[in-house]
């Protein structure tokens, strides 16, 4: 059994998102979402299947297993937490926030995500208010 690579995590996350949007996940949908070829998706899905994270029969739908769903949810939580930190708190453009979140999401464990999410909520709450902390935060972040 091989390790879960960054690329395979991207496939898990994409499968979760496709499932939420369409309910049924097909190879061609993942290929389009990720900007890859169908053979690349097939190879990744085979690997995810061997890890027990997805179920897929030839020419059938792709389904996350309970373990795969849990792992995909963690990857997605890391991604969204980082995205909101960059976009909402640091006020970076959406495209740059997305790129940074995608690059960093693979390197955080569950505890780091939990702590970052708490910090994000605290900063969002404080930055929307008036007062010395909010003013200092806005000044510290600048208007690049």
């Amino acid at each position: 059994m091989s390790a879960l690579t960054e690329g395979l995590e991207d496939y898990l996350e994409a499968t979760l998102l496709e499932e939420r949007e369409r309910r049924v996940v097909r190879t061609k949908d993942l290929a389009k979402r990720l900007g890859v070829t169908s053979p690349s998706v097939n190879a990744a899905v085979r690997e995810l299947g061997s890890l027990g994270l997805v179920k897929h029969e030839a020419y059938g739908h792709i389904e996350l297993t309970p373990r795969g769903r849990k792992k995909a949810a963690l990857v997605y939580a890391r991604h969204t937490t980082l995205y909101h930190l960059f976009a909402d708190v640091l006020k970076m453009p959406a495209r740059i926030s997305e790129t940074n979140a995608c690059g960093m999401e693979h390197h955080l464990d569950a505890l780091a995500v939990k702590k970052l999410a708490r910090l994000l909520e605290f900063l969002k709450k404080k930055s929307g208010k008036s007062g010395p902390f909010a003013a200092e935060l806005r000044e510290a972040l600048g208007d690049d």
Side-chain angles (χ1 to χ4, degrees):
M1 206 178 268
S2 62
L4 192 59
T5 65
E6 291 179 17
L8 291 177
E9 284 187 349
D10 287 340
Y11 280 96
L12 276 179
E13 182 181 21
T15 302
L16 179 70
L17 295 175
E18 282 294 319
E19 185 178 88
R20 288 179 179 177
E21 291 173 14
R22 302 175 192 269
R23 290 186 168 253
V24 173
V25 182
R26 295 180 175 89
T27 300
K28 68 178 183 176
D29 300 324
L30 288 180
K32 184 176 179 181
R33 179 179 283 272
L34 294 169
V36 297
T37 64
S38 289
S40 294
V41 173
N42 286 326
V45 168
R46 256 192 317 277
E47 186 69 22
L48 290 170
S50 74
L51 294 170
L53 300 172
V54 299
K55 293 179 185 176
H56 180 246
E57 293 182 24
Y59 304 105
H61 303 135
I62 302 163
E63 294 181 44
L64 292 166
T65 64
R67 204 168 118 241
R69 184 173 314 290
K70 184 176 179 181
K71 183 66 179 170
L74 176 59
V75 174
Y76 185 63
R78 292 186 313 216
H79 181 101
T80 57
T81 298
L82 288 167
Y83 176 84
H84 288 296
L85 178 65
F86 295 130
D88 300 343
V89 176
L90 300 178
K91 306 296 184 198
M92 297 171 65
R95 185 179 53 57
I96 294 170
S97 296
E98 182 67 25
T99 300
N100 284 322
C102 283
M104 294 176 67
E105 71 188 15
H106 305 289
H107 305 285
L108 298 176
D109 64 15
L111 180 59
V113 173
K114 185 186 291 186
K115 297 280 189 178
L116 270 176
R118 288 179 186 161
L119 176 63
L120 177 61
E121 284 305 309
F122 172 78
L123 291 174
K124 284 168 70 175
K125 197 182 312 177
K126 289 291 189 176
S127 67
K129 296 180 178 180
S130 59
F133 179 84
E136 287 179 35
L137 179 60
R138 283 191 293 277
E139 184 178 332
L141 294 175
D143 199 19
D144 302 331

